[in-house]
């Protein structure tokens, strides 16, 4: 049999109801569906029809590595989960990426991925070792915090195993519960930790001694030196005397220790900020944890995130990936660039005054999220700002949370999180359902839409920027690079594009896509971004890049590179030996996107009307310049997007010929049979 | 640590610098390039350098052969000078063609964990020991050192130069 380079050849179907395992050849799906999210989309389309809810045993969690996983190609260690998301509002099919060493170990154990289906009769964990999958009792693990669970599994199986686990949040079906690897990497966005909980699945532990054989070693070594412009340089532990970023930077008494660590197997970056000897929410001793993008706001949130155009709009001379500065080691800028000044023109974030800087309290918030196993985004940039803003506006007057609302207080934060994770109180139980559902249960008009009067622009001094107390965008997620609220100082050409990404999704797209475009395009669209095809074209490129990233697999810190456009094709070729071009990769991305679209149409009735109405409200609030988007502007941009996609403008549905162009005849036939192709309505 | 570890006189070997010089990022580059360049595969049984991951602390340690001056692994080999060999620079290396997978070298290693890896296989002919040879035939030197993105690895007698 010819060597299948890059992949290891089989996917495990794991039935938790009857503790059975069957094997599916990976070649049933690849290379047509590449790997990662694209394979997941195909499996979900084939196997999960309409009517299934997130916590039904019929929901499936599909986990896939990519062809680059464990080949040594940088960022290949990232992998993907998909399934029906309990955190999406309404519940829909979604996905979530994760780093760590788990994905590589799954391949060493002989699997390219697995399909989790059914529900275990009692608390269970899976132990996978070199092709054998064992169903073991998790009675002694149930109830344990995330790190305690990781530690216990290493005690049982040896310290060379790799585990993904859920914490109490997942066990108690908190809708934004995460799945966590051992180095604080999480799949959190979709709330799949709660789906694990609904299946009585506490953890998956794996050990593998097998191999992954890549096709082109010379090329892999070349990619290791070139991708993401890694700078091989010493990485000493630094003693820092302050913490935070511009607008929220605070002195830290006694200082703190910072390191930088990679998030996944084989990565050649070290983007994650390792915070050493931090205050724990649960124990006397100090703990280490990693700080990623959103964590920084736990420590202090007086001002919103600032922004420089180069984070979104790039030239060949100067191009950074978003938040590359997390590592503190961006390449020095090239000042000879004619657009240099505009690219690095720092836009200060809005004054928001959510909470005063407090280093220990920030550490407590992060530790609570890590150990309970829950999405930091929902806590740090939605739940806590909602409490802060709502209290200042008197929204919670007369409501008894059981303790006075005070987001400045460690004790209140601990009490609140405990109430939610263990569903201890009426409001804890309500908030465990996620912000979108809780606010609607309380009454959205008052508890979501009440205007906060404390946000002020620093771009236009003195300008008050009305903002609802709930930072909700669409599909049950908080705003993210959308020009208002969290990470708000982005201008209109940037945020309308981000909203278009979000409109077509079921989750926060910016944690995996971050909108990119060239500065030349920015200059062309900046005066009227909603009526220029280049805005829509850039969004489509970004969406397709995201499909590729989650399929090959890659990471948002290194991909896409707008000026090395065949990088992912080179990665795929190096891993598999299968000839790949940019054009073919883009076709595969379109195919994956169409499958995702078809699932949303068939299972959840997605169409244009649903989408434009879900995303539009947030754009009626002002950005830092005081700008908003009119209904007409927004719909003009949506028209352009559907036109560029080749989809029907009235319904937002791709027509039969588009599905067929990308080899999805049977998908088109299925949609036609249920009246969901354009013209069928 | 075994009782006798501190008594061993080590030779020129790959070493991890302390965290104040450079912190290991835990990326596994060293393990990956080691097995890629020696065997054309990536797999935990094939690398000759080991990352011991602090899965909770996120502080990681690198283990590699210390190239002991009295090289007990070499002397323990059932096929000494065929399987386990000693080159003109004092580097002990494995000629896998002749390795019978008896594990005597692993048992003889004075370090805990042993610095010699082992390929398990149902096919006895594929059971082989794997040991750091300092990439002795590679002009650029040890690949793990070259590809360490955070420069936390070096050669034992050069740490002062790194600083």
């Amino acid at each position: 049999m010819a060597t299948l380079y890059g992949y290891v050849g089989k996917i495990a179907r794991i039935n938790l109801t009857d503790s059975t395992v069957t094997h599916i050849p990976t070649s049933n799906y690849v290379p047509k569906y590449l790997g990662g999210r694209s394979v997941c989309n195909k499996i979900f389309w084939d196997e999960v029809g309409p009517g299934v809810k997130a916590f039904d045993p019929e929901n499936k969690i599909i986990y896939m590595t990519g062809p680059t996983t464990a080949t040594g190609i940088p960022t290949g260690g990232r992998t993907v989960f998909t399934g029906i998301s309990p955190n999406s509002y309404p519940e829909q099919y979604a996905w979530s990426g994760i780093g760590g060493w788990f994905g590589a170990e799954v391949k060493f154990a002989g699997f390219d991925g697995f399909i989790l289906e059914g529900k275990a009769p009692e608390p269970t964990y899976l132990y996978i070792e070199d092709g054998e999958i064992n169903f073991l009792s998790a009675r002694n693990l149930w109830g344990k915090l995330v790190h305690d669970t990781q530690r216990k599994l290493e005690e049982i199986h040896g310290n060379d195993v790799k585990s993904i686990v859920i914490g109490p949040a997942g066990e108690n079906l908190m809708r934004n519960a995460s799945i966590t690897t051992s180095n604080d990497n999480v799949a959190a966005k979709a709330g799949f930790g709660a789906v694990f909980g609904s299946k009585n699945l506490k953890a998956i532990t794996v050990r593998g001694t097998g191999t992954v054989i890549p096709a082109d070693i010379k090329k892999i070594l070349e990619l290791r030196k070139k991708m993401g412009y890694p700078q091989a340089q010493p990485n000493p532990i630094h003693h820092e005397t302050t913490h935070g970023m511009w607008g929220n930077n605070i002195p830290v008494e006694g200082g703190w220790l910072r390191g930088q660590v990679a998030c996944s197997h084989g990565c050649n970056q070290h983007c994650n900020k390792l915070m050493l000897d931090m205050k724990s929410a649960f124990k006397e001793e100090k703990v280490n944890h990693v700080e990623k993008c959103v964590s920084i706001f736990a420590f202090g949130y007086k001002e919103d995130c600032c922004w420089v155009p180069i984070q979104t709009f790039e030239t060949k001379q100067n191009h950074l990936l978003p938040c590359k500065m997390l590592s503190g080691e961006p390449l020095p800028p090239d000042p000879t660039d004619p657009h240099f000044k505009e690219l690095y023109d720092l836009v200060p974030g809005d004054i928001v005054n959510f909470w005063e800087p407090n280093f220990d309290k920030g550490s407590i918030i992060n530790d609570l999220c890590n150990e309970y196993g829950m999405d930091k985004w929902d806590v740090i940039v939605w739940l806590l700002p909602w409490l802060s803003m709502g209290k200042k506006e008197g929204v919670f007057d007369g409501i008894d949370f059981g303790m006075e609302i005070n987001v400045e207080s460690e004790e209140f934060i601990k009490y609140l999180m405990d109430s939610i994770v263990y569903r201890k109180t009426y409001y804890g139980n309500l908030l465990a359902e996620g912000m979108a559902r809780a606010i609607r249960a309380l009454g959205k008009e008052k508890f979501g839409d009440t205007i906060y009067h404390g946000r002020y622009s620093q771009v236009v001094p003195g300008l008050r920027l009305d903002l609802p107390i709930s930072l909700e965008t669409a599909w049950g997620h908080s705003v993210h690079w959308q020009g208002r609220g969290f990470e708000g100082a982005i201008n209109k050409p940037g945020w309308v594009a981000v909203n278009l990404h979000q409109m077509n999704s079921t989750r926060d797209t910016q944690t995996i896509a971050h909108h990119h475009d060239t500065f030349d395009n920015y200059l062309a669209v900046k005066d009227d971004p909603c009526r220029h095809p280049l805005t829509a074209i850039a969004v489509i490129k970004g969406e397709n890049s995201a499909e590729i990233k989650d399929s090959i697999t890659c990471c948002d810190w290194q991909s896409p590179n707008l000026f090395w456009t065949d990088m992912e094709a080179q990665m795929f070729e190096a891993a598999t030996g299968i000839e790949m071009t940019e054009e073919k990769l883009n076709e595969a991305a379109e195919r994956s996107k169409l499958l995702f679209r078809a699932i949303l149409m068939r299972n959840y009735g997605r169409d244009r009307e649903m989408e434009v109405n879900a995303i539009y409200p947030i754009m009626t609030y002002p950005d830092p310049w005081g700008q908003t988007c009119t209904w007409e502007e927004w719909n003009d941009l949506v028209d352009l997007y559907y036109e560029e996609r080749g989809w029907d403008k009235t319904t937002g549905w791709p027509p039969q010929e588009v599905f067929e162009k990308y080899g999805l005849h049977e998908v088109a036939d299925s949609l036609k049979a249920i009246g969901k192709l354009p013209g069928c309505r | 640590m075994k009782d006798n570890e501190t008594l061993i006189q080590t030779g020129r070997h790959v070493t991890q610098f302390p965290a104040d010089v450079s912190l290991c990022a835990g990326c596994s580059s060293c393990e990956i390039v080691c097995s890629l360049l020696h065997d054309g595969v990536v797999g935990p049984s094939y690398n000759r350098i080991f990352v011991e991951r602090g899965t909770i602390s996120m502080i990681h340690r690198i283990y590699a052969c210390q190239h002991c001056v009295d090289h007990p692994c070499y002397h323990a080999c059932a096929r000494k000078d065929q399987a386990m060999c000693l080159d003109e620079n004092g580097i002990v290396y494995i000629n896998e063609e002749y390795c019978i997978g008896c594990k005597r070298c692993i048992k003889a290693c004075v370090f805990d964990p042993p610095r010699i890896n082992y390929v398990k296989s149902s096919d006895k002919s594929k059971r082989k020991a794997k040991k750091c040879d300092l990439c002795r035939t590679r002009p650029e030197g040890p690949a793990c050192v070259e590809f360490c993105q955070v420069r936390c690895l070096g050669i034992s007698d050069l740490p002062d130069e790194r600083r």
Side-chain angles (χ1 to χ4, degrees):
Chain A
M1 191 173 72
T3 302
L4 184 64
Y5 293 107
Y7 310 98
V8 294
K10 61 180 184 289
I11 298 164
R13 181 185 298 283
I14 300 170
N15 189 314
L16 291 156
T17 305
D18 59 12
S19 301
T20 58
V21 177
T22 52
H23 295 166
I24 305 166
T26 309
S27 57
N28 285 5
Y29 303 104
V30 303
K32 182 177 179 181
Y33 295 101
L34 299 176
R37 177 146 63 111
S38 185
V39 170
C40 294
N41 287 348
K42 173 61 175 163
I43 292 172
F44 192 91
W45 167 261
D46 287 344
E47 299 191 10
V48 185
V52 180
K53 306 295 287 181
F55 295 144
D56 291 347
E58 291 76 18
N59 186 15
K60 300 190 183 192
I61 293 288
I62 307 162
Y63 172 81
M64 280 299 299
T65 65
T68 62
T69 310
T71 59
I73 295 170
T75 78
R78 293 200 62 81
T79 55
V80 178
F81 292 92
T82 70
I84 300 169
S85 159
N87 204 28
S88 169
Y89 183 81
E91 287 184 1
Q92 294 181 78
Y93 177 67
W95 75 99
S96 198
I98 193 167
W101 309 299
F102 181 80
E105 199 74 13
V106 167
K107 271 196 166 175
F108 298 147
F111 298 103
D112 288 309
F114 44 74
I115 303 164
L116 296 169
E117 54 189 32
K119 177 180 180 177
E122 62 171 11
T124 296
Y125 75 99
L126 300 174
Y127 176 60
I128 304 174
E129 181 169 359
D130 285 339
E132 293 292 323
I133 299 178
N134 305 282
F135 298 75
L136 302 176
S137 173
R139 280 184 181 164
N140 293 334
L141 297 172
W142 207 257
K144 284 190 182 299
L145 299 171
V146 160
H147 285 156
D148 288 344
T149 307
Q150 289 279 358
R151 194 176 287 114
K152 187 69 183 172
L153 288 165
E154 289 190 4
E155 282 174 22
I156 296 169
H157 297 289
N159 62 7
D160 59 342
V161 296
K162 314 292 186 298
S163 300
I164 50 173
V165 311
I166 62 168
E171 294 171 8
N172 296 319
L173 309 187
M174 188 175 176
R175 284 182 179 267
N176 69 359
S178 60
I179 299 167
T180 310
T181 66
S182 54
N183 56 349
D184 284 353
N185 268 270
V186 292
K189 268 290 143 229
F192 290 144
V195 180
F196 267 42
S198 76
K199 293 182 178 301
N200 273 330
L201 182 62
K202 176 70 175 175
I204 303 176
T205 295
V206 62
R207 174 192 279 122
T209 60
T211 57
V212 177
I213 306 175
D216 187 342
I217 293 165
K218 187 179 170 196
K219 184 69 186 176
I220 287 172
L221 297 179
E222 181 188 315
L223 289 169
R224 288 205 67 78
K225 292 208 167 177
K226 188 177 176 187
M227 275 181 62
Y229 308 96
Q231 303 164 81
Q233 60 185 31
N235 172 40
I237 289 178
H238 290 280
H239 181 262
E240 306 281 5
T241 55
T242 62
H243 178 270
M245 58 188 179
W246 200 79
N248 291 305
N249 204 10
I250 53 170
V252 180
E253 190 178 350
W256 62 283
L257 295 174
R258 173 177 71 83
Q260 299 288 153
V261 288
C263 93
S264 71
H265 180 270
C267 188
N268 58 347
Q269 297 286 312
H270 39 286
C271 304
N272 286 349
K273 190 174 286 182
L274 175 63
M275 305 185 79
L276 296 157
D277 298 334
M278 303 293 286
K279 185 172 183 179
S280 167
F282 299 94
K283 51 191 79 167
E284 286 298 312
E285 69 236 47
K286 300 284 187 177
V287 296
N288 300 343
H289 53 70
V290 294
E291 178 182 274
K292 298 180 189 174
C293 177
V294 71
S295 305
I296 206 163
F297 287 101
F299 297 92
Y301 208 161
K302 296 280 290 180
E303 294 186 16
D304 213 336
C305 190
C306 54
W307 181 73
V308 290
I310 194 174
Q311 287 173 264
T312 305
F313 303 109
E314 308 160 26
T315 61
K316 192 170 184 178
Q317 276 172 270
N318 283 294
H319 55 108
L320 295 175
L321 295 178
C323 295
K324 182 82 175 178
M325 68 290 291
L326 271 182
S327 71
E329 296 165 355
L331 288 172
D334 179 353
T336 67
D337 189 329
H339 298 298
F340 180 78
K341 187 172 179 303
E342 297 154 284
L343 286 168
Y344 288 91
D345 186 20
L346 188 136
V347 181
D350 308 325
I351 301 286
V352 288
N353 282 319
F354 292 156
W355 52 81
E356 294 290 330
N358 184 323
F359 192 66
D360 281 345
K361 192 200 76 177
S363 186
I364 292 285
I365 293 172
N366 282 299
D367 198 39
L368 286 163
C369 292
N370 288 342
E371 293 288 15
Y372 285 143
M374 55 199 288
D375 182 19
K376 289 177 183 171
W377 292 79
D378 276 12
V379 172
I380 298 171
V381 301
W382 197 352
L383 168 64
L384 296 179
W386 174 69
L387 290 170
S388 172
M389 290 189 276
K391 178 159 189 204
K392 286 169 184 164
E393 295 301 330
V395 168
F396 302 122
D397 292 353
I399 284 191
D400 183 6
F401 273 89
M403 189 172 179
E404 187 185 351
I405 295 173
N406 180 6
V407 294
E408 311 275 357
S409 154
E410 281 183 30
E411 290 313 306
F412 173 74
I413 302 282
K414 283 185 189 172
Y415 164 79
L416 179 73
M417 299 283 277
D418 186 68
S419 301
I420 296 171
V421 168
Y422 295 101
R423 293 179 178 264
K424 281 182 176 172
T425 63
Y426 173 79
Y427 290 106
N429 193 49
L430 196 65
L431 290 166
E433 290 299 302
M435 292 298 294
R437 288 171 177 81
I439 285 167
R440 280 160 181 78
L442 289 165
K444 187 170 179 296
E445 192 176 333
K446 177 179 178 185
F447 290 90
D449 301 339
T450 294
I451 296 300
Y452 174 59
H453 296 88
R455 177 186 172 216
Y456 286 90
S457 174
Q458 296 198 86
V459 178
V460 183
L463 178 64
R464 198 186 87 197
L465 302 170
D466 284 346
L467 184 77
I469 60 170
S470 167
L471 298 177
E472 178 174 347
T473 171
W475 319 123
H477 292 276
S478 60
V479 288
H480 185 180
W481 285 42
Q482 282 165 294
R484 55 275 293 158
F486 173 62
E487 291 189 348
I490 291 172
N491 65 8
K492 191 168 180 176
W495 60 251
V496 292
V498 171
N499 279 296
L500 196 48
H501 280 277
Q502 186 68 23
M503 185 191 84
N504 289 292
S505 188
T506 52
R507 49 155 281 177
D508 174 3
T509 47
Q510 287 306 101
T511 50
I512 195 68
H514 285 98
H515 183 66
H516 302 265
D517 201 359
T518 63
F519 198 76
D520 286 343
N521 282 359
Y522 167 74
L523 293 175
V525 309
K526 69 181 176 61
D527 294 331
D528 195 1
C530 291
R531 285 165 178 131
H532 203 298
L534 284 174
T535 302
I537 290 167
V539 169
I540 292 167
K541 280 185 177 174
E543 288 177 339
N544 287 2
S545 293
E547 296 286 348
I548 292 166
K549 271 188 279 193
D550 279 347
S551 299
I552 292 294
T553 51
C554 327
C555 139
D556 209 35
W557 284 182
Q558 296 202 0
S559 173
N561 183 327
L562 295 179
F563 304 96
W564 180 9
T565 54
D566 69 342
M567 180 180 78
E568 295 90 344
Q570 290 188 29
M571 294 166 69
F572 184 83
E573 280 192 353
T576 66
I578 299 168
E579 186 187 350
M580 182 56 72
T581 61
E582 275 180 74
E583 291 71 28
K584 285 164 70 175
L585 208 50
N586 196 54
E587 280 177 27
E590 292 273 1
R591 188 177 298 121
S592 184
K593 177 71 177 175
L594 283 167
L595 272 173
F596 183 70
R597 190 75 181 168
I599 291 166
L600 300 190
M601 290 159 57
R602 182 192 65 182
N603 290 22
Y604 310 105
R606 281 282 281 263
D607 60 13
R608 175 181 181 134
E609 186 181 0
M610 185 177 174
E611 292 185 331
V612 293
N613 283 303
I615 191 70
Y616 181 67
I618 193 64
M619 288 181 275
T620 62
Y621 298 101
D623 74 3
W625 289 262
Q627 296 245 333
T628 57
C629 186
T630 66
W631 178 250
E632 289 71 28
E633 278 182 302
W634 179 242
N635 279 277
D636 286 349
L637 180 58
V638 174
D639 280 350
L640 288 170
Y641 172 84
Y642 287 147
E643 279 172 4
E644 291 294 336
R645 277 278 185 205
W647 299 356
D648 176 64
K649 283 197 293 188
T650 307
T651 57
W653 294 345
Q656 182 150 357
E657 59 268 24
V658 170
F659 283 111
E660 290 182 349
K661 181 180 174 185
Y662 295 101
L664 298 172
H665 299 74
E666 75 287 359
V667 174
D669 291 344
S670 296
L671 291 171
K672 188 175 186 180
I674 57 171
K676 287 196 179 284
L677 282 184
C680 291
R681 192 172 249 179
Chain B
M1 178 185 285
K2 289 180 181 176
D3 290 343
N4 55 354
E5 272 188 36
T6 54
L7 304 174
I8 299 300
Q9 188 178 359
T10 59
R12 183 179 160 86
H13 60 270
V14 173
T15 191
Q16 179 183 3
F17 299 129
D20 58 342
V21 175
S22 189
L23 177 71
C24 172
C27 67
S28 308
S29 293
C30 52
E31 295 180 326
I32 290 166
V33 295
C34 177
S35 60
L36 269 181
L37 284 167
H38 282 88
D39 300 290
V41 304
V42 179
S45 303
Y46 283 78
N47 45 282
R48 294 141 176 89
I49 187 167
F50 312 93
V51 182
E52 184 183 74
R53 293 175 176 81
T55 50
I56 310 299
S57 68
M58 284 167 272
I59 302 294
H60 315 297
R61 275 192 73 181
I62 307 291
Y63 293 112
C65 171
Q66 302 291 292
H67 291 277
C68 308
V69 171
D70 60 353
H71 28 73
C73 54
Y74 166 74
H75 291 296
C77 179
R79 291 191 168 187
K80 189 164 72 173
D81 292 330
Q82 278 189 302
M84 192 71 84
C85 304
L86 187 61
D87 78 4
E88 63 279 12
N89 296 314
I91 297 171
V92 176
Y93 66 97
I94 296 172
N95 187 345
E96 290 182 15
E97 187 182 346
Y98 296 101
C99 177
I100 56 173
C102 68
K103 289 189 176 177
R104 286 190 192 184
C105 55
I106 297 172
K107 288 171 188 158
C109 180
V110 299
F111 292 95
D112 184 20
R115 308 305 160 86
I116 302 175
N117 208 348
Y118 186 72
V119 178
K120 297 172 188 167
S121 174
S122 54
D123 179 351
K124 287 185 179 178
S125 69
K126 292 182 180 173
R127 296 177 188 172
K128 303 286 183 188
K130 304 276 177 184
K131 181 194 167 301
C132 172
D133 58 2
L134 285 174
C135 291
R136 51 190 282 276
T137 60
R138 189 169 185 268
E140 302 91 337
C144 55
V145 175
E146 181 187 345
F147 282 89
C148 176
Q149 290 300 330
V150 294
R151 293 276 185 256
C152 79
L153 296 178
I155 301 296
S156 60
D157 54 0
L158 297 175
D160 289 343
E161 290 183 15
R162 282 287 302 109
R163 288 186 179 90

